[in-house]
Amino acid sequence: MHPTPTTPTTRNAHELKPTTLVVDALNFLERFVPVDEPAFANALPPALFVEANRRVFLFTAGAVRSNIRPVFVFDKGQASDEARDKWTRRRCEEVVKGTRRMPANAEVFLTAILETHGCLCLRPPDIDGDDAVALLAWQLGGSVLSRDRDLLRYDELPAERVFRDFGVDATQHKLRLERQMAPLPAHVARQITIHALKSREILRSVAA
């Protein structure tokens, strides 16, 4: 069973301040809009977004039961050379394969679905997406949910607060988080100091 953040047992969960979970949203686009799953191989966009709504409901309900407040960060994709290179590489792979199953503007639909279910969604301008995720988690004393091992390179973000995947427990219906156990890629140096990053106003949206 995947580990989950622990909460004190001396008070009821609804009396405790929720733990913030900063989600690298585009990392999980395919988890919510399941274009690569065999059951949805021939699904049209309307059916995919109906399924996305169902999955977001399960995720948010599980987060509430686990006393977790998710904050979704959508990388604008133009804030750094690294982000632009990653975007270009992925589009080139789609050209080589000759296919793109993900519906156009799927991230816009996902944002709308998440906000409908009460999730805060951010698109921080002028800052790399990974930097924004790490900075928010650090400033808010929260954790990170991202498939990107690069999140392990931030000095002040403990590895035990970096998670790579999630599930919803079938019996208790709580959110279960899987730790990022893979090592930092050899070519990536652990050298980024979070407090040296510029906040660029991104904390104002989560101050409440």
Side-chain angles (χ1 to χ4, degrees), residues 171-184:
T171 55
Q172 295 184 327
H173 306 291
K174 291 185 176 182
L175 197 62
R176 302 297 183 187
L177 301 175
E178 180 181 347
R179 285 268 306 278
Q180 176 58 272
M181 303 301 293
L184 189 67

Side-chain angles (χ1 to χ4, degrees), residues 75-97 100:
D75 188 352
K76 295 192 73 172
Q78 303 296 323
S80 68
D81 291 339
E82 181 182 4
R84 284 189 290 271
D85 290 345
K86 186 182 295 184
W87 185 91
T88 301
R89 184 174 66 254
R90 289 172 177 172
R91 301 294 80 77
C92 288
E93 290 174 355
E94 292 170 353
V95 171
V96 170
K97 294 178 181 177
R100 176 176 169 81

Side-chain angles (χ1 to χ4, degrees), residues 8-190:
T9 58
T10 55
R11 299 171 61 189
N12 293 328
H14 69 275
E15 296 176 332
L16 298 170
K17 183 178 180 180
T19 299
T20 299
L21 179 67
V22 184
V23 184
D24 191 352
L26 293 182
N27 269 202
F28 298 96
L29 182 61
E30 289 85 0
R31 284 291 303 275
F32 291 111
V33 187
V35 294
D36 293 327
E37 295 182 17
F40 297 91
N42 299 311
L44 296 176
L48 290 170
F49 293 131
V50 167
E51 177 63 15
N53 185 69
R54 186 187 74 85
R55 295 186 180 202
V56 169
F57 169 76
L58 293 175
F59 180 94
T60 54
V64 169
R65 292 188 180 95
S66 304
N67 204 37
I68 292 173
R69 181 199 182 196
V71 175
F72 286 81
V73 175
F74 285 82
D75 188 352
K76 295 192 73 172
Q78 303 296 323
S80 68
D81 291 339
E82 181 182 4
R84 284 189 290 271
D85 290 345
K86 186 182 295 184
W87 185 91
T88 301
R89 184 174 66 254
R90 289 172 177 172
R91 301 294 80 77
C92 288
E93 290 174 355
E94 292 170 353
V95 171
V96 170
K97 294 178 181 177
T99 182
R100 176 176 169 81
R101 284 277 296 130
M102 185 61 67
N105 295 320
E107 67 277 9
V108 177
F109 284 95
L110 179 59
T111 300
I113 293 170
L114 288 166
E115 291 178 340
T116 298
H117 288 278
C119 295
L120 177 61
C121 296
L122 303 177
R123 289 180 177 271
D126 304 321
I127 184 172
D128 179 76
D130 287 351
D131 289 352
V133 168
L135 178 63
L136 281 170
W138 176 64
Q139 293 260 7
L140 299 172
S143 299
V144 165
L145 178 60
S146 174
R147 289 176 169 172
D148 194 342
R149 289 183 293 165
D150 288 358
L151 266 299
L152 295 172
R153 63 183 168 176
Y154 296 90
D155 288 338
E156 298 97 331
L157 189 62
E160 60 267 20
R161 285 164 52 190
V162 179
F163 297 90
R164 66 181 179 184
D165 209 349
F166 69 88
V168 179
D169 185 85
T171 55
Q172 295 184 327
H173 306 291
K174 291 185 176 182
L175 197 62
R176 302 297 183 187
L177 301 175
E178 180 181 347
R179 285 268 306 278
Q180 176 58 272
M181 303 301 293
L184 189 67
H187 67 281
V188 178
R190 187 182 177 88

